[in-house]
Amino acid sequence: MGHQVIIFDFSVVRGLWETRVKKNKERQKKEKERLEKSALEKIKQEWNLILECRKKGIPQSKYLKNGFVDINEKNLDTYGKSPQLKKSHALPDGVNKEQNKFIFHLSGEQWMELPDSLKEQTYLKEWHVYNTLIQTIPAYIALFQDLTVLELSKNQINHLPAEIGCLKNLKVLNVSFNNLKSVPPELGDCENLEKLDLSGNMEITELPFELSNLKQLTFVDVSANKFHSIPICVLRMSNLQWLDISSNSLKDLPEDIDRLDELQTLLLQKNKLTYLPRALVNMPKLSLLVVSGDDLVEIPTAICESTTGLKFVSLKDSPVETIVCEDTEEIIESEREREQVEKEFMKAYIEDLRERESTPSYTTKVLLSLQL
């Protein structure tokens, strides 16, 4: 017999969240200290030095010694170790060579566009660009044929170029918490894409039908946008296992939602649903279903009596107005930031939910309004 989940003591979750916030900050601090002491900083300096030397036309014999980069080579002084070169040592766009992977990192609000030198590094396999003021991704991204990961979260990106469809090896695309209003149909040409995150853009209303071609997708997150229905292309993603379409404007679910027979997790909270279709019972691998809303008046009894072990969570809508983190006293004000904090909270809650050996069934609703 299936389980109807629900939390009976929200203070437990609050305590869990506080603990994880503190542990995460400690982990970040230790990681920063580790990186400062590691060889990564030296690799970054060496790589930036090589790029600068190539740009100035300095021969390799001037900065290589027995095949190794000599960052203290005195001969470089004759070419002028300019302040620009010294500054480049501190740039966060380091390239890390590990297990034959080349990774580009860039962060910080001082960045309003990608560095010009990036277009010469077409061998890169991963981009990690976050917390910048960058608004556009240049068309030359089509040259990065080895790119497998494109992490562009928390920037100011307002559109994706059509050339993104040239990235045939791309497996992960994360453009969450930007300013996108649409997605180019050419994205459907990225046939090896496995993870797509478009959450927190607040303005996306539809996905192009061409995304139906993404048969390798297992994870789709389009939460915190303005979808009025589940896009048709999503219903044709045959390998989809995780779908988060929470915090949108859904009024109903399609009757053929059971086409997603590989789906395991479906997050629907913070929508305008009034009922759930019985087709949900026909989804053999669905193990976690989260809904919310006082408008939800009809739920098939079979969902709670499912023999598949489905965990059904019903949350009461109550938008978080202000959340104060006890250790930082950080106040979340904007809607986008509130959505981001709630999203992190739900991740922690779901992770804890899945780790439970038994599930409580004392209440049918959880008030999602708290102060940490």
Side-chain angles (χ1 to χ4, degrees), residues 112-345:
M112 300 186 69
E113 59 183 18
L114 293 168
D116 290 337
S117 60
L118 179 60
K119 67 177 67 173
E120 301 171 3
Q121 304 173 39
T122 56
Y123 45 81
L124 291 172
K125 293 190 175 182
E126 296 187 15
W127 284 18
H128 296 266
V129 180
Y130 54 94
N131 286 328
T132 73
L133 298 180
I134 293 174
Q135 296 184 13
T136 59
I137 300 301
Y140 66 68
I141 194 173
L143 301 175
F144 291 76
Q145 290 297 300
D146 293 331
L147 207 61
T148 60
V149 175
L150 192 53
E151 291 274 356
L152 304 172
S153 63
K154 304 176 187 177
N155 298 290
Q156 299 295 319
I157 299 171
N158 50 42
H159 81 279
L160 293 174
E163 288 77 8
I164 198 170
C166 298
L167 305 179
K168 303 299 183 182
N169 293 309
L170 192 64
K171 293 185 177 181
V172 176
L173 176 60
N174 182 351
V175 206
S176 61
F177 295 94
N178 279 279
N179 296 321
L180 294 178
K181 293 185 178 180
S182 62
V183 177
E186 289 79 5
L187 182 61
D189 295 330
C190 298
E191 54 192 24
N192 288 305
L193 197 64
E194 298 175 359
K195 179 178 179 180
L196 176 62
D197 192 341
L198 299 169
S199 62
N201 281 280
M202 313 302 290
E203 297 293 333
I204 302 177
T205 60
E206 188 54 87
L207 295 179
F209 183 78
E210 286 79 359
L211 268 59
S212 301
N213 298 327
L214 303 178
K215 302 301 183 182
Q216 302 302 316
L217 268 179
T218 60
F219 179 103
V220 171
D221 189 342
V222 291
S223 60
N225 279 290
K226 290 186 177 178
F227 288 92
H228 293 281
S229 61
I230 296 180
I232 295 176
C233 62
V234 172
L235 296 175
R236 285 163 172 74
M237 296 174 181
S238 54
N239 283 313
L240 198 60
Q241 298 176 14
W242 176 294
L243 175 59
D244 187 348
I245 195 168
S246 59
S247 300
N248 277 277
S249 301
L250 300 186
K251 294 184 178 180
D252 54 37
L253 298 178
E255 293 296 332
D256 60 344
I257 192 172
D258 53 357
R259 294 177 57 138
L260 300 174
D261 52 10
E262 295 293 323
L263 196 66
Q264 299 175 14
T265 300
L266 179 58
L267 307 182
L268 298 167
Q269 70 273 16
K270 295 185 68 176
N271 277 289
K272 300 177 180 179
L273 297 172
T274 57
Y275 73 96
L276 297 178
R278 186 177 176 81
L280 290 170
V281 182
N282 302 327
M283 303 173 70
K285 296 188 178 181
L286 187 62
S287 58
L288 178 61
L289 173 63
V290 182
V291 298
S292 70
D294 291 331
D295 294 331
L296 192 61
V297 296
E298 184 178 342
I299 301 175
T301 305
I303 288 182
C304 300
E305 297 178 349
S306 173
T307 57
T308 62
L310 172 66
K311 294 180 180 178
F312 173 70
V313 184
S314 178
L315 301 174
K316 180 179 180 181
D317 278 340
S318 182
V320 179
E321 297 297 332
T322 301
I323 297 180
V324 182
C325 295
E326 197 174 66
D327 54 340
T328 64
E329 295 300 314
E330 178 184 8
I331 300 178
I332 309 301
E333 297 177 347
S334 74
E335 182 181 358
R336 195 187 301 270
E337 289 173 330
R338 284 200 302 270
E339 290 289 353
Q340 188 175 344
V341 171
E342 286 189 19
K343 193 170 187 63
E344 291 299 320
F345 179 85

